[in-house]
Amino acid sequence: TRELCPKSTWPRRGTDALSARLLRASPTLASMVFEKSLTAMVKGIRANRGKESDYINTCVQEIQKEVASKNLQTKSTAVLKLAYLNMIGYDMSWATFSVVEVMSHNKFAIKRPGYLASAICFTETTDVGLLTINLFKKDFGSKSQYESGMAISCLSSICTPQISRDILSDLSSMLSSSRAYLRKKTVLCLYRIFLKDPPALRTCFPRLKERLSDEDQGVLTASVNTFLELARKNARNYLSLVPQLYHILVNTTNNWLSIKLLKLFQLLCPLEPRLPAKLVEPLTNLLNTTKAASVEFEAIRTVLRTLPEGTQLASLAVEKLQVFLNSSDRNLRYLALEVFREALEQPGFRERYPVADLHSKVLCCIEETDPTARMVALRLLDLIVTPSSFADAVKKLMEFSQKSLCADEFHKTILRIGARDCYALVEDFAWYLLILADISRSLDSAHAGEVAEQFTDIIVRVAGVRPYAVQLALSLLDRDPSAASSATAAEDEDINPSTASLEIAPSMLGACAWVVGEFHRDFEGEAEVCFPKAVKALIAAKSVREMEPAIQTLCIWSAFKVTLGAPEHAPGAVAELQALLLAHLPGFVTSTHPDVSERATLALHLTSGPGGASDPCSLAVGGQLFAEPLLPVAVGTQKAMTMPAGLDLDVPFFAPEEAPVASFAPMRADPTDPYALAATYKDDLGFLAAQEAPHASSSTPSGTEHSSIFYLGGSKDGASGAEGQGVGGSSVAAGAQAAAKLDPLEQMRQKLAAARAGATATRYEVLREDVRAPAPAAAAPAAGAAAAGAGGATPAGAGVSALPIPADKELTDLQGRLWSVCFSDDFVRVYACVRSKNQKKQQLRLELRCERLAGENGDAVVADVGLRFPAGVAALEVDASGLLPLAPGALGERAAKVRATLSLAPFLVPALCTLAAEVQYTLTRGGAPERIASPLELTLPPTTFLTHLPTSEDEIATYMADHAAELLTEQTAEAVTLQMPGRTAGDVASELPRLVGRCAGLCNLYGIQQQAPAQNKSQKFLMVARPPAASAQPSPLAGQVALPEAARVVCLCAGMPRDGSLDIKVTVKACRKDVCDDVSAQLVSVFRDLVEGRLRTFG
């Protein structure tokens, strides 16, 4: 300051004069003195609690002035503050040029904020990013390794394909730098560049490979880590590195490097059959000598993932894994559970390597406070449970659920294990129904709907458990008389009180009501007692009217079904049941919910009207409704039913009737007197008599004091006594002290235990096959399509119709024509065909066949042709060596077809999937036989992994509106013209819905036609499917990362019929671009095959 200001101008007193002279003498220095630093800004934000936005806006205005300063120190501080504000959500794209200016400074302290800000805010669309190329090149040659390292780190964050092409040569030369610090940073930076610019990998691979021989441990570790991440994308490209990697593994003592190498070998072993045997010695040394638990764990996982089962090293790995499981360290126990879960998914692992006390260890781990360990233990329990241990496991889980705050996790596991393979683990279904009833006590459970579904499904499938199940359902519906301690709970009731003795989820109440109504003939007790008790529990309690409308509807109709079955099973209770319905159904008729009111009105009409329930003949006819057994129906069967020809749901079945005149309409005393507008007192109360008439049979005799409209009622005892003489015939003595009932579930448990005491175990027959829709007639789809094309009425409503999807057999026949060559050399050719998918078992059926190619090698003998699938893809038909025999023995001209059933579990993305398999065969050409192994690529279409999702146009529109910004962000459109010579535009238009329906069926899509167009006009279709659900464990296949849970694949198809041709445009929307591209290409290919190719049936 003294140098800037002449001595004669120094002020002797007062700082104001000094400040003024400083500003005049050096404005730049003054701005540096009074500018706000990053620390001051952060403190200011914290000090202005509740007014942060106002303070930050003020700071941004100050920063805008600072970035315009010519002083780069001031600009650097402003850029640093902008970087901080950008990290908390404020935009700084307006200052990107200033960032580049700061980066260009020569001083490290000034340019460092610029590099930091560019790494944070620069994107591929930042225009000024290209201006940084020369800056990077200049800093790469800096004498300071820290400046060069800073530039390399920034480049890895902002690199684009264009920047990569211009700077790759300079960056590649730094791999040979004399400074290890820069070599390490360069190796790590290259991985990020390869992701943005894949062709750069081919250029840099030789020099990157040389770094595997680097003497510096940091560079070597970075190189191995880079190759590991690259191998996750495509491991086959790095098989040539195996000798160097093996040398490093054998000689290194770096634990972190050993872990990375073991992870890399796990990816390479499935691609090189000889590699697992080579790894036996180093893996054995690691397991026996290492003291690092992390290395030991990775070695165990490598052995179990890569080495053949049954080896001595695999047994050693399992023993080591047991030590982890018994460890006091919860982290090691978690890792052991995770590896055991992965290993047990391999068929036969538990039989080959029995683990002592594994079941008890897993149950102990379920009580872990760590939620991640608990979830892994629950999934592992799902794998190890057997029919003999299922009951003990469920009891333990129920105990844990009562102690834990997260009971839903345990309940979900019970339901998942119980329902596996159509209840294959359940031996005692009566006991399991009690478990379901116990779970339903959790009123806020997220699985209440699944509990109710399993409850009804078991009763439908297992006929032997129905008597006990119906009694259990009635006990859950019935009310406890000990709970009726108040008069309000007993008013207008002639049965037990309205409060439930056992609180259960509403969905379970609905399931119990349905079971009682549907299987009333299976009551264990005396029918004349059980039938009235069931009807009272269903409709007589006040609490029923407070339930959800759907539950009320189930109760009403179940009570009516019980009444219909009374003439056959309880003839002595018919009159009492009829009186109960007439007494309590009117209360539901006045419900504000249309479904409840309509169902109650119908039941009341059928009960009281001519030929209703009062007619014994009518009741006998109603009992015929239960003559045929109720069978389980497969999901989607109702939608798959073919609409009968000539059925039009828009036409009323009966002519509309005139509305009846209300019985309580006011009538004038003298109709001839136009001035007599007021009704008389007698007319005024006439509607009361009309309302009381239907209830005369169920009320106290007229003429008593209780029937007077002026009678207000007596004491509680008197009211209770009056109710005791009601319709139900059950009397409750006033003041009687009834003993409190036990818990209904406890009563049912005691009853079950008494029945099982001294008796042999009951064996149940379970109906495991579902009823499916019959195959439609051959002409039915065509007729439906023609009707839709002609603009006629459609089953789905006006203007919308479901596409005619062919039957499964027809689709399977069509898929049987789609053979393709997946391998061919001079001696053998292999064909493959994707035949069908079993959605229930999650299996995919392939067919393969091979043929011998003679040509110039006619004397060669080919034998024992087999196919080896890649690691992670399991086929049920493989032999002990993991080989699928295609042609055992000598191969003739053509071998028979061979089936391969693959699990769909590894396939999580509906994208084109190419399996890197291997074909092996023995070749003999005049000398010793030679075993040939060649790579084979098996291509699976993307639509193979989709599941059709029945839905409506409104549901699709709602989904697209709600999820357009998150789950439908990508789309692909393709247009194609298909030749149909000899067909007019009208013919093409009439066949178009059937064509699209076949395409939808072959591609596992559900389709609807958006509109019924005029002849020869464009027709639009919507097709939708659900991608594979996320798995509990990652897929072993590269790139198989599941889509979000709510993701859908939506396809829009528009067809324009023309004379001799058809123009089709396909648009596919999803959340990933590769899914859109692959599904769109597959749809176009199927359309072409259906019209012009192997599947052609048109024209």
Side-chain angles (χ1 to χ4, degrees):
T1 303
R2 292 176 179 266
E3 294 175 359
L4 293 173
C5 302
K7 188 173 183 179
S8 60
T9 62
W10 290 358
R12 296 182 183 273
R13 298 180 182 88
T15 57
D16 293 340
L18 175 61
S19 300
R21 292 183 181 185
L22 282 173
L23 289 174
R24 287 195 301 270
S26 179
T28 302
L29 178 61
S31 64
M32 292 173 60
V33 172
F34 296 108
E35 73 182 10
K36 190 181 298 178
S37 66
L38 174 61
T39 304
M41 187 184 72
V42 173
K43 290 181 178 179
I45 294 175
R46 294 177 178 176
N48 287 268
R49 182 173 300 177
K51 300 179 181 179
E52 292 88 347
S53 297
D54 296 337
Y55 181 81
I56 291 176
N57 290 335
T58 303
C59 292
V60 170
Q61 293 175 5
E62 296 174 357
I63 292 172
Q64 288 175 345
K65 296 178 181 179
E66 292 170 359
V67 295
S69 172
K70 295 181 180 179
N71 188 333
L72 284 180
Q73 176 65 54
T74 302
K75 189 174 292 188
S76 176
T77 303
V79 167
L80 184 61
K81 291 188 288 185
L82 277 178
Y84 176 80
L85 294 177
N86 182 261
M87 292 169 64
I88 61 176
Y90 287 83
D91 179 44
M92 63 170 294
S93 59
W94 54 272
T96 52
F97 189 79
S98 300
V99 173
V100 176
E101 284 184 305
V102 174
M103 293 170 64
S104 64
H105 201 275
N106 293 327
K107 291 185 177 179
F108 179 79
I110 293 179
K111 68 166 54 180
R112 188 179 184 185
Y115 275 106
L116 172 63
S118 64
I120 292 174
C121 70
F122 280 21
T123 64
E124 293 186 0
T125 59
T126 304
D127 296 334
V128 298
L130 297 177
L131 301 178
T132 62
I133 295 176
N134 290 329
L135 299 178
F136 287 134
K137 290 184 177 181
K138 183 185 72 172
D139 287 338
F140 285 167
S142 174
K143 294 181 180 180
S144 171
Q145 65 176 358
Y146 299 109
E147 286 190 8
S148 301
M150 180 176 62
I152 294 172
S153 299
C154 180
L155 175 63
S156 66
S157 299
I158 69 172
C159 180
T160 63
Q162 188 171 357
I163 295 177
S164 171
R165 288 190 292 269
D166 292 338
I167 210 170
L168 187 62
S169 59
D170 299 83
L171 191 64
S172 178
S173 64
M174 297 189 69
L175 288 172
S176 303
S177 172
S178 59
R179 290 176 284 193
Y181 175 80
L182 295 182
R183 296 198 304 272
K184 179 177 65 174
K185 276 190 169 289
T186 303
V187 169
L188 296 175
C189 177
L190 282 173
Y191 171 70
R192 300 292 299 270
I193 290 179
F194 296 155
L195 294 181
K196 299 292 181 67
D197 186 23
L201 174 60
R202 195 178 297 274
T203 304
C204 298
F205 185 78
R207 287 194 175 184
L208 191 61
K209 182 180 178 180
E210 293 175 0
R211 293 305 97 208
L212 292 176
S213 303
D214 202 293
E215 296 179 355
D216 186 82
Q217 283 293 309
V219 178
L220 181 60
T221 303
S223 302
V224 172
N225 190 61
T226 298
F227 280 117
L228 170 61
E229 297 303 322
L230 291 172
R232 295 185 194 275
K233 306 293 182 182
N234 187 1
R236 188 173 294 277
N237 292 339
Y238 311 100
L239 285 173
S240 60
L241 303 177
V242 168
Q244 289 178 270
L245 297 173
Y246 180 82
H247 176 75
I248 298 172
L249 177 65
V250 172
N251 295 282
T252 187
T253 57
N254 187 324
N255 291 337
W256 181 255
L257 185 57
S258 299
I259 292 173
K260 293 295 181 181
L261 288 168
L262 291 174
K263 289 179 179 290
L264 187 52
F265 278 120
Q266 291 173 24
L267 299 173
L268 296 176
C269 282
L271 305 176
E272 176 51 66
R274 297 169 295 179
L275 184 56
K278 189 72 175 177
L279 290 175
V280 170
E281 182 178 352
L283 286 173
T284 304
N285 292 335
L286 282 175
L287 288 176
N288 290 325
T289 60
T290 184
K291 297 181 180 179
S294 56
V295 177
E296 184 179 2
F297 168 75
E298 201 60 47
I300 292 172
R301 187 157 61 174
T302 303
V303 170
L304 296 180
R305 283 182 175 180
T306 61
L307 264 64
E309 299 173 352
T311 61
Q312 185 177 0
L313 183 57
S315 301
L316 176 62
V318 174
E319 292 177 6
K320 295 285 185 178
L321 193 59
Q322 283 184 270
V323 177
F324 276 56
L325 189 61
N326 297 325
S327 173
S328 59
D329 188 343
R330 66 174 60 183
N331 295 317
L332 296 181
R333 292 200 302 271
Y334 168 78
L335 293 174
L337 290 172
E338 189 66 44
V339 175
F340 266 123
R341 181 190 60 80
E342 182 180 342
L344 285 170
E345 291 179 350
Q346 303 174 9
F349 176 85
R350 192 177 182 186
E351 289 73 16
R352 287 188 294 271
Y353 306 105
V355 181
D357 299 329
L358 178 60
H359 190 273
S360 59
K361 291 291 184 182
V362 171
L363 289 178
C364 291
C365 293
I366 289 176
E367 292 188 276
E368 290 278 3
T369 56
D370 182 10
T372 55
R374 186 167 60 245
M375 291 301 297
V376 174
L378 289 174
R379 290 196 296 267
L380 182 57
L381 181 64
D382 197 351
L383 297 173
I384 65 175
V385 70
T386 61
S388 58
S389 62
F390 175 66
D392 293 335
V394 170
K395 291 177 182 177
K396 284 288 186 181
L397 290 174
M398 291 299 295
E399 292 176 4
F400 297 155
S401 67
Q402 294 170 4
K403 304 174 186 177
S404 173
L405 298 177
C406 49
D408 274 0
E409 295 179 3
F410 303 105
H411 293 165
K412 181 180 179 180
T413 303
I414 294 174
L415 296 173
R416 183 176 64 247
I417 298 175
R420 186 202 302 171
D421 296 332
C422 207
Y423 313 103
L425 296 176
V426 182
E427 294 181 343
D428 190 345
F429 282 94
W431 165 82
Y432 187 64
L433 290 178
L434 280 172
I435 295 296
L436 294 178
D438 211 353
I439 295 176
S440 67
R441 284 179 164 181
S442 300
L443 301 181
D444 56 348
S445 173
H447 310 293
E450 187 176 356
V451 172
E453 183 179 349
Q454 287 195 20
F455 189 82
T456 56
D457 191 39
I458 288 175
I459 299 172
V460 170
R461 294 180 183 274
V462 187
V465 80
R466 287 174 190 168
Y468 183 82
V470 175
Q471 199 66 33
L472 174 61
L474 181 57
S475 68
L476 295 177
L477 290 171
D478 197 11
R479 271 54 178 162
D480 187 353
S482 63
S485 58
S486 65
T488 55
E491 285 182 4
D492 301 319
E493 293 279 358
D494 52 10
I495 63 162
N496 296 338
S498 62
T499 55
S501 62
L502 180 65
E503 290 294 337
I504 59 175
S507 56
M508 187 63 170
L509 285 173
C512 292
W514 183 86
V515 167
V516 169
E518 189 65 35
F519 300 104
H520 55 267
R521 58 186 176 276
D522 293 308
F523 275 120
E524 289 182 327
E526 187 179 351
E528 279 73 8
V529 176
C530 293
F531 275 49
K533 183 179 179 181
V535 173
K536 292 174 186 178
L538 288 168
I539 63 173
K542 278 186 178 180
S543 58
V544 175
R545 302 177 195 178
E546 300 172 359
M547 297 178 185
E548 300 175 4
I551 307 300
Q552 295 185 47
T553 304
L554 282 172
C555 291
I556 292 170
W557 210 240
S558 295
F560 184 66
K561 288 193 288 188
V562 171
T563 306
L564 288 179
E568 179 181 355
H569 304 286
V574 172
E576 185 178 0
L577 294 175
Q578 178 189 355
L580 284 170
L581 293 180
L582 293 176
H584 297 288
L585 285 179
F588 294 95
V589 172
T590 58
S591 173
T592 58
H593 301 290
D595 291 343
V596 177
S597 178
E598 181 181 355
R599 190 61 60 91
T601 303
L602 178 59
L604 185 61
H605 173 73
L606 295 176
T607 303
S608 60
S614 58
D615 186 356
C617 297
S618 177
L619 286 175
V621 173
Q624 297 177 4
L625 297 174
F626 308 99
E628 297 184 3
L630 186 67
L631 302 176
V633 180
V635 177
T637 301
Q638 184 66 38
K639 292 182 179 294
M641 294 295 294
T642 304
M643 185 65 67
L647 177 61
D648 188 353
L649 297 180
D650 294 330
V651 178
F653 291 104
F654 305 101
E657 299 180 359
E658 295 183 0
V661 179
S663 60
F664 51 84
M667 300 294 294
R668 293 179 301 192
D670 186 3
T672 61
D673 183 6
Y675 299 100
L677 300 179
T680 64
Y681 181 76
K682 180 179 179 182
D683 295 331
D684 217 11
L685 296 180
F687 73 95
L688 291 176
Q691 282 190 333
E692 291 176 358
H695 303 282
S697 60
S698 60
S699 61
T700 55
S702 61
T704 66
E705 59 177 359
H706 300 284
S707 63
S708 171
I709 62 173
F710 302 103
Y711 179 69
L712 299 180
S715 65
K716 295 181 180 180
D717 295 340
S720 178
E723 290 173 359
Q725 305 299 326
V727 177
S730 61
S731 61
V732 181
Q737 300 296 329
K741 282 189 176 180
L742 293 175
D743 183 349
L745 288 185
E746 187 60 33
Q747 287 183 321
M748 296 303 296
R749 287 192 186 95
Q750 294 177 2
K751 182 177 180 180
L752 179 63
R756 300 287 167 81
T760 58
T762 306
R763 298 188 62 85
Y764 296 97
E765 295 183 4
V766 184
L767 184 61
R768 304 191 189 277
E769 296 296 328
D770 295 337
V771 176
R772 299 187 178 273
T794 60
V800 181
S801 63
L803 285 178
I805 305 295
D808 291 343
K809 185 179 184 303
E810 183 179 354
L811 290 176
T812 303
D813 292 342
L814 290 174
Q815 289 167 335
R817 304 185 201 175
L818 300 176
W819 288 85
S820 60
V821 178
C822 58
F823 173 80
S824 182
D825 62 4
D826 295 336
F827 306 97
V828 177
R829 180 174 296 161
V830 180
Y831 300 86
C833 175
V834 180
R835 287 306 300 266
S836 61
K837 178 174 68 173
N838 190 322
Q839 188 64 38
K840 181 179 179 181
K841 296 182 179 180
Q842 285 292 290
Q843 292 177 346
L844 178 66
R845 192 185 111 192
L846 305 180
E847 286 187 353
L848 301 107
R849 60 180 174 85
C850 58
E851 63 182 15
R852 182 170 60 85
L853 302 179
E856 300 178 356
N857 306 293
D859 57 341
V861 177
V862 177
D864 298 328
V865 183
L867 177 68
R868 185 181 300 278
F869 288 97
V873 179
L876 300 181
E877 294 80 5
V878 298
D879 56 18
S881 64
L883 206 65
L884 175 68
L886 298 181
L891 175 62
E893 181 178 354
R894 176 174 295 181
K897 298 178 184 178
V898 175
R899 175 186 297 184
T901 306
L902 306 182
S903 171
L904 289 173
F907 306 102
L908 303 178
V909 181
L912 190 67
C913 182
T914 301
L915 298 180
E918 183 182 69
V919 62
Q920 300 180 9
Y921 59 89
T922 302
L923 179 64
T924 305
R925 288 183 292 184
E930 178 185 6
R931 190 64 178 173
I932 305 296
S934 301
L936 177 148
E937 291 189 348
L938 188 61
T939 303
L940 301 180
T943 55
T944 304
F945 315 113
L946 293 174
T947 302
H948 81 285
L949 184 65
T951 184
S952 65
E953 185 181 25
D954 291 339
E955 292 172 344
I956 297 178
T958 301
Y959 176 84
M960 296 179 68
D962 294 343
H963 300 87
E966 50 179 344
L967 298 179
L968 296 176
T969 55
E970 304 291 344
Q971 75 172 32
T972 300
E974 293 189 47
V976 62
T977 300
L978 306 175
Q979 302 299 323
M980 302 180 71
R983 311 305 296 268
T984 65
D987 295 337
V988 176
S990 63
E991 294 175 349
L992 181 55
R994 187 157 61 102
L995 171 67
V996 179
R998 285 193 170 191
C999 179
L1002 290 169
C1003 296
N1004 298 309
L1005 297 163
Y1006 178 83
I1008 59 175
Q1009 186 170 355
Q1010 281 189 291
Q1011 56 184 358
Q1015 192 76 1
N1016 305 338
K1017 297 295 182 180
S1018 175
Q1019 300 184 31
K1020 297 182 180 180
F1021 306 88
L1022 273 173
M1023 295 180 285
V1024 64
R1026 181 176 60 246
S1031 176
Q1033 61 179 353
S1035 172
L1037 301 181
Q1040 293 292 329
V1041 180
L1043 274 60
E1045 183 179 358
R1048 300 287 184 267
V1049 177
V1050 180
C1051 310
L1052 295 88
C1053 177
M1056 174 60 76
R1058 304 185 187 276
D1059 291 334
S1061 66
L1062 171 64
D1063 294 339
I1064 287 184
K1065 181 179 180 181
V1066 176
T1067 303
V1068 180
K1069 295 187 176 184
C1071 62
R1072 281 177 45 173
K1073 184 63 175 174
D1074 58 337
V1075 173
C1076 296
D1077 294 342
D1078 293 346
V1079 173
S1080 175
Q1082 177 67 13
L1083 287 172
V1084 171
S1085 175
V1086 173
F1087 274 126
R1088 196 180 295 279
D1089 276 335
L1090 286 169
V1091 177
E1092 302 175 347
R1094 295 170 288 178
L1095 307 180
R1096 181 162 61 91
T1097 56
F1098 302 94

